[in-house]
């Protein structure tokens, strides 16, 4: 076996649903403004028990069940997160412990909102290399810990959640080549500065313009995979803002693809947004096992990464 594929998918959405009207009680905004500028109608905000490790483990258990695997078959756990509650320790080992992946290695990967795509690519290449057979990739985020609830330009966007998949060895190769890159010269455009200001800060318009400029990059992901945009069954861009999601899908000419619009219900969950978006299309029956689906993450860094995968 020299290929790699996604064996299963699982997600965790926090119980608490927060509406735009609730946010409008805290800051000077409105449901109409938020919907028209971002597409967001509601978002999920975690409670104290719904930690990055707890949400990640819950999603991971569902992914294992969907893959028909037990935790002892996992060789490695990669936690894609940029909202770990502390710098030390990482979340990956805690998730591995919680799910009972007793013999697995575990580490964190911070690729910002592109973290899931980076982790899938890393896992797939490790599997193809033969060193591991099954890797649990878990994207888990609690952006609410880093949200300035007095900043109306960011608190309307940010949310919590988790999504996981198992990348496993396969006779067929179902994870296409990753296309990635960065503009680290503009790392301050999205940041948690630290020190006295440990909250999420963003130059929204700059991020918006940068994201829209990535249309040729998204097209390149299709080219590298040998799949024409009109052959895609689904497209799951990072769920940052519905206008960005739609501009990327329309921009590449993905005319037949179901477009993930999970941001409307779930807000921006950073690295978790791609597995959550993929799950929303699968659950709605808009894509099926084996369908070609384009994943594309972009955000803090600035960095991006994407690939075409066959749906798990
Ligand atoms: N409600 C009402 N007004 C708001 C507001 C809110 N929630 N947030 C900002 N505004 C105001 C601003 O204060 C500004 O007012 P002014 O003209 O009087 O100064 C006006 O709206 C325009 O602000 P601007 O920042 O230009 O708005 P925008 O149309 O760019 O929308 C974002 C702001 C954040 C929604 C938008 O830039 C965006 O979505 N950017 C991308 C963010 C993203 O995807 N980040 C994640 C990347 S991983």
């Amino acid at each position: 076996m020299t290929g790699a594929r996604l064996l299963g998918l699982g997600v965790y959405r926090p119980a608490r649903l927060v509406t735009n009207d609730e946010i409008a009680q805290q800051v000077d905004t409105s449901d109409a403004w938020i919907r028209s500028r971002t597409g967001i109608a509601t978002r999920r905000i975690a409670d104290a028990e719904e930690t990055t490790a707890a949400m990640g483990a819950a999603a991971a258990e569902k992914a294992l069940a969907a893959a028909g695997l037990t935790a002892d078959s996992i060789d490695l756990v990669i936690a894609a997160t940029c909202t770990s509650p502390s710098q030390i320790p990482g979340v990956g080992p805690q998730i591995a412990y919680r799910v009972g992946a007793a013999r697995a290695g575990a580490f964190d990967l911070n690729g910002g909102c592109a973290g899931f795509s980076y982790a899938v690519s890393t896992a797939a290449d490790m599997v193809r290399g033969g060193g591991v057979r099954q890797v649990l990739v878990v994207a888990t985020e609690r952006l609410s810990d880093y949200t300035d609830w007095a900043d109306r330009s960011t608190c309307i966007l940010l949310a919590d959640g988790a999504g996981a998949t198992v990348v496993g060895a396969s006779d067929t190769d179902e994870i296409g080549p990753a296309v990635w890159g960065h503009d680290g010269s503009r790392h301050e455009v999205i940041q948690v500065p630290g020190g006295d200001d440990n909250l999420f800060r963003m130059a929204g318009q700059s991020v918006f313009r940068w994201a829209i400029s990535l249309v040729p990059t998204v097209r390149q992901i299709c080219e590298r995979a040998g799949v024409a945009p009109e052959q895609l069954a689904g497209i799951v861009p990072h769920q940052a803002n519905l206008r960005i999601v739609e501009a990327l899908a329309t921009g590449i000419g993905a005319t037949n693809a179901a477009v993930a619009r999970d941001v409307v219900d779930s807000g921006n969950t950073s690295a978790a947004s791609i597995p959550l978006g993929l799950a929303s299309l699968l659950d709605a029956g808009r894509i099926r096992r084996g369908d070609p689906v384009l994943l594309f993450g972009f955000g803090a860094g600035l960095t991006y990464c994407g690939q075409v995968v066959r749906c798990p």
Side-chain angles (χ1 to χ4, degrees):
M1 284 194 201
T2 52
R5 69 181 179 94
L6 303 185
L7 300 177
L9 185 73
V11 298
Y12 180 84
R13 299 175 194 275
R16 186 170 162 229
L17 195 70
V18 175
T19 64
N20 291 340
D21 287 336
E22 275 180 82
I23 303 240
Q25 287 167 15
Q26 312 291 324
V27 290
D28 182 13
T29 189
S30 67
D31 178 53
W33 196 96
I34 300 171
R35 282 179 194 256
S36 67
R37 300 293 180 105
T38 72
I40 297 169
T42 59
R43 74 282 293 138
R44 303 266 174 176
I45 300 295
D47 69 17
E49 309 294 314
E50 293 168 316
T51 61
T52 47
M55 293 191 295
E61 277 165 0
K62 290 183 194 163
L64 284 168
L69 294 170
T70 53
D72 55 11
S73 69
I74 296 299
D75 300 305
L76 178 67
V77 175
I78 305 177
T81 184
C82 60
T83 54
S84 182
S86 61
Q87 192 69 27
I88 301 170
V91 176
Q94 298 175 60
I95 294 172
Y97 171 71
R98 282 173 182 257
V99 302
R103 59 176 196 82
F107 66 90
D108 287 16
L109 180 156
N110 182 346
C113 301
F116 183 77
S117 279
Y118 274 108
V120 164
S121 172
T122 301
D125 283 346
M126 291 176 88
V127 167
R128 290 185 194 112
V132 294
R133 283 185 60 82
Q134 265 132 214
V135 181
L136 191 53
V137 169
V138 187
T140 182
E141 303 280 17
R142 264 178 73 103
L143 285 148
S144 62
D145 284 344
Y146 295 91
T147 300
D148 179 351
W149 293 103
D151 177 1
R152 67 179 181 173
S153 69
T154 54
C155 75
I156 57 168
L157 304 168
L158 306 178
D160 305 330
T165 189
V166 181
V167 176
S170 166
D171 292 329
T172 52
D173 207 5
E174 301 189 4
I175 299 175
V179 174
W180 58 39
H182 73 89
D183 183 358
S185 72
R186 293 203 291 153
H187 61 277
E188 289 172 346
V189 170
I190 304 172
Q191 62 172 333
V192 174
D196 291 341
D197 186 8
N198 207 34
L199 298 174
F200 184 94
R201 305 294 174 201
M202 179 175 66
Q205 279 202 5
S206 300
V207 176
F208 196 98
R209 279 196 290 269
W210 170 71
I212 302 290
S213 79
L214 295 172
V215 167
T217 303
V218 183
R219 215 173 273 131
Q220 210 189 338
I221 297 169
C222 291
E223 285 163 20
R224 294 282 317 272
V227 176
E230 58 272 20
Q231 293 175 318
L232 290 170
I235 174 165
V236 188
H238 165 49
Q239 303 288 293
N241 177 318
L242 189 59
R243 287 155 62 207
I244 296 174
V245 165
E246 288 177 343
L248 294 177
T250 308
I252 66 162
T255 42
N256 299 311
V259 181
R261 293 184 171 85
D262 191 52
V263 66
V264 173
D265 301 316
S266 304
N268 178 349
T269 57
S270 192
S273 89
I274 289 181
L276 285 166
L278 189 58
S280 71
L281 292 181
L282 269 165
D283 293 347
R286 300 185 63 207
I287 52 172
R288 293 194 189 85
R289 159 89 196 107
D291 281 349
V293 179
L294 186 144
L295 314 180
F296 182 60
F298 57 89
L302 298 169
T303 186
Y304 58 83
C305 180
Q307 60 275 99
V308 175
V309 301
R310 294 276 164 181
C311 197

